[in-house]
Amino acid sequence: MGLLSEGTPLQWSEVSKYVDHVREHGIIQLLHTLEKYKNRQNDPFLWGDEVEYIVVNLSDGKATLGLRQNDILGKLMLISDSENVNFHPEYGRYMIESTPLKPFDASWDSLVDLETNMRHRRQIASRYMTPTEHLVTMSSYPLLGVGHFAETEGTVKGPVTQSEFMPDDVINLHPRFPTLSSNIRERRGKKVEITVPVFHDVNTPQPWVDPLLKDRPVGVSSQEIYMDAMGFGMGCCCLQLTFQGASIDGARDLYDALAPLTPLFLALSAGSPVFRGVVADQDVRWNVISQSVDDRTDDEKKTIPKSRYDSIDCYISRKNEILNQNTDFYNDIPVLTNDKVTEQLREGGLENDPLLVQHFSHYFIRDPLVIFEELLDQDDKNSMDHFENIQTTNWQTMRFKPPPNASIGWRTEFRPCEIQFTDFENAAFCVVVVLLARTIVANKLCFYQPISQIDENMKQAHVRDPVHRAKFWVRLSVQDQDKDSKPVFKQLTLNDIFNGNDEYIGLLPLVRDYLKSPHSEPLPEKVSNKVNQYLDLLSKRASGELDTAATWIRKFINSHPDYKHDSIVTEKINFDLVTAINKIGSGEGWNTIAQSMFRGF
Ligand code: GLU
Ligand code: MG
């Protein structure tokens, strides 16, 4: 998550003096990078995933988050390159992130190698756990912020977050992370306020009385679960994918092509039905993170519609005719920009590229949140530090990434998915997105829809049980290349969208057709068997034949003898749930424990 520079981080009162300096030099750095790499062509199609884990201690019937991040990562960083694994820190001190060391390529074998590599990463990292520690992949830890939820004697109301639930020492010890948290709080002038609707079960009091909350803050309703620290959001885990485009335009086209898919994949990967020990009336983590890093002041909220962590605001392709002839129709929401930055970009050579100017200028309405004193003055020709400072704290559903150096090209990141319990599922989600990206490029498919529809779809992705209860806008004619024809948009279920219906071809049938079309290298049987399993898994999750992780967690809680049907997840329920998810993730009896998620696999 972002840039880990060494040095002395400035507190907000100091940072605020340098925000324009960082913006100005960030753009100078970007312009140098554009100059250097704008003509790169024919970069190979490469891709890679990021998996986020939590470390949980399971012993004596108690589950607590383990905080040995530094020890564990210190060892993992020494793993030989030949293992093709890489580990990184994440926001929570109980989190670890992994990626393949080398990216995957366009070969068919890559589609199988991914799962093998994911399993390898899990096995390697698991070697450095104590006998009671376990590496678990679940997107929101149910008891985060409840009682003695982590291996710490630290107390709440610490100076960094001032949270009444979460001690500061569950935050990664690298100074970037506590500083990010306290500077967000100081910039907005008060603690972050995160609310999600509570799920009303048969015995949930009406109005609901939050057992952990002494005084309900002004503005928080009795229907809401309230949280007050960045960790409630950035302590959640996701699955991300990055693609290298053939050129800057290739990466921009892919950014636009995948953006409409983000709410759909968020909803299908849903795995977060519990926050701060309370069952929520939503299944995904997204708006929790969005609120957890929202540094806008109350006044700014009146004019800046979105948090820094949110769905994208504008498409960016320069070459797509459908977009370019109907830009206002598709880029249909107000996009705030920074006038100075717009000017700087235009004067710096982008006067004929309004969509790219808008995109970056829009990121640069935000202030830098963490500045290291020693890094204030940089060699702008060779550093991207100031640019990355702002770029990597605009956490949107997609990210367009300039080359960091000559050996890496222009890239596009797909960021919505929730992490799944098993490497099989994580690989399935990744491979389907990779194949969709390939199908879109090969068949020049068009998913463009107004950005306001994607925003509406993001809301739908937050409906509880989105498979059965939500509908999402889609462009019906994805094969439509006729820029003059009038596209038709319709709200469909995830089943219709993934599996297709009379009116809509369906995402998975598109991929299946692509796989059947002639390719220079025929698909080996081992690859087609694996890929068919992945497609079947997503197809059955979308149709409701198999449960999403969130639905399965709800069922587990609902049938637990300790559950009083009052929306409260007890320590015992949490222990049993996390123990089960740990078993599922490590492959022990996975399809017997969670039949409703895996039947037939
Ligand atoms: N953990 C965050 C999430 O669940 C993402 C952090 C990152 O960008 O790596 O979306
Ligand atoms: Mg991460």
Side-chain angles (χ1 to χ4, degrees), residues 1 52 90 97 236-238 240 285 289 309 395 415:
M1 183 199 142
E52 294 175 345
E90 249 303 335
E97 181 179 291
C236 293
C237 294
C238 67
Q240 294 162 335
R285 77 197 189 293
I289 315 186
Y309 186 107
W395 297 275
R415 304 170 44 83

Side-chain angles (χ1 to χ4, degrees), residues 14-305:
E14 287 297 303
V15 170
S16 55
K17 296 180 194 158
Y18 299 110
V19 290
D20 284 329
H21 170 89
V22 170
R23 271 194 284 264
E24 187 190 335
H25 288 271
I27 294 296
I28 296 174
Q29 295 173 356
L30 171 66
L31 289 169
H32 280 301
T33 291
L34 272 160
E35 201 40 50
K36 258 191 257 174
Y37 300 123
K38 66 180 180 205
N39 295 326
R40 274 181 87 115
Q41 297 290 333
N42 303 324
D43 276 324
F45 177 78
L46 299 177
W47 57 277
D49 71 292
E50 290 168 52
V51 169
E52 294 175 345
Y53 312 83
I54 57 173
V55 176
V56 194
N57 271 289
L58 296 170
S59 78
D60 298 334
K62 285 198 70 128
T64 42
L65 294 173
L67 302 184
R68 294 194 314 109
Q69 185 183 54
N70 279 356
D71 290 357
I72 298 169
L73 275 172
K75 294 189 180 113
L76 289 174
M77 298 218 172
L78 302 176
I79 301 281
S80 143
D81 285 0
S82 63
E83 302 284 359
N84 193 22
V85 296
N86 208 358
F87 294 93
H88 322 262
E90 249 303 335
Y91 180 87
R93 210 171 132 200
Y94 51 86
M95 291 168 81
I96 306 274
E97 181 179 291
S98 81
T99 55
L101 184 64
K102 290 195 303 286
F104 298 103
D105 57 23
S107 67
W108 294 126
D109 281 347
S110 282
L111 304 177
V112 172
D113 294 344
L114 171 67
E115 187 179 333
T116 311
N117 187 269
M118 279 180 173
R119 287 179 194 278
H120 194 47
R121 285 181 245 158
R122 195 185 286 261
Q123 273 160 9
I124 289 188
S126 297
R127 277 185 217 152
Y128 300 97
M129 305 287 131
T130 65
T132 59
E133 277 171 350
H134 302 275
L135 201 63
V136 177
T137 40
M138 63 189 301
S139 58
S140 78
Y141 182 71
L143 288 202
L144 196 64
V146 182
H148 184 67
F149 69 97
E151 294 285 296
T152 168
E153 299 308 316
T155 49
V156 294
K157 301 207 168 129
V160 173
T161 60
Q162 300 175 358
S163 167
E164 61 179 287
F165 309 108
M166 206 182 264
D168 288 342
D169 62 359
V170 301
I171 304 172
N172 184 322
L173 294 175
H174 186 286
R176 170 180 154 88
F177 298 95
T179 308
L180 198 49
S181 320
S182 57
N183 286 356
I184 287 175
R185 178 175 55 69
E186 282 176 26
R187 190 186 183 290
R188 75 198 300 278
K190 54 185 170 179
K191 289 195 287 186
V192 288
E193 288 159 325
I194 308 162
T195 55
V196 292
V198 63
F199 170 72
H200 280 272
D201 208 338
V202 286
N203 295 331
T204 309
Q206 193 52 293
W208 182 56
V209 186
D210 185 339
L212 285 190
L213 195 59
K214 281 170 219 97
D215 296 308
R216 182 149 32 96
V218 183
V220 176
S221 94
S222 66
Q223 313 294 322
E224 290 171 325
I225 308 163
Y226 163 74
M227 293 161 275
D228 63 353
M230 180 168 165
F232 282 107
M234 279 298 178
C236 293
C237 294
C238 67
L239 174 69
Q240 294 162 335
L241 267 170
T242 298
F243 299 94
Q244 177 170 276
S247 61
I248 182 169
D249 288 314
R252 288 168 69 171
D253 289 349
L254 200 53
Y255 177 99
D256 284 7
L258 295 179
L261 303 181
T262 52
L264 312 173
F265 275 85
L266 173 63
L268 194 65
S269 63
S272 311
V274 182
F275 293 97
R276 220 204 66 217
V278 185
V279 184
D281 201 28
Q282 66 181 52
D283 283 354
V284 297
R285 77 197 189 293
W286 192 269
N287 65 354
V288 174
I289 315 186
S290 174
Q291 298 171 81
S292 83
V293 289
D294 191 354
D295 67 331
R296 292 171 300 166
T297 61
D298 286 344
D299 263 355
E300 284 173 337
K301 279 192 178 168
K302 294 177 197 149
T303 52
I304 306 177

Side-chain angles (χ1 to χ4, degrees), residues 492-518:
L492 301 179
T493 62
L494 287 177
N495 185 26
D496 291 336
I497 296 171
F498 278 87
N499 291 315
N501 67 10
D502 293 348
E503 308 175 277
Y504 185 66
I505 181 160
L507 301 179
L508 303 177
L510 277 169
V511 171
R512 290 188 205 273
D513 285 351
Y514 166 73
L515 291 171
K516 274 192 231 131
S517 59

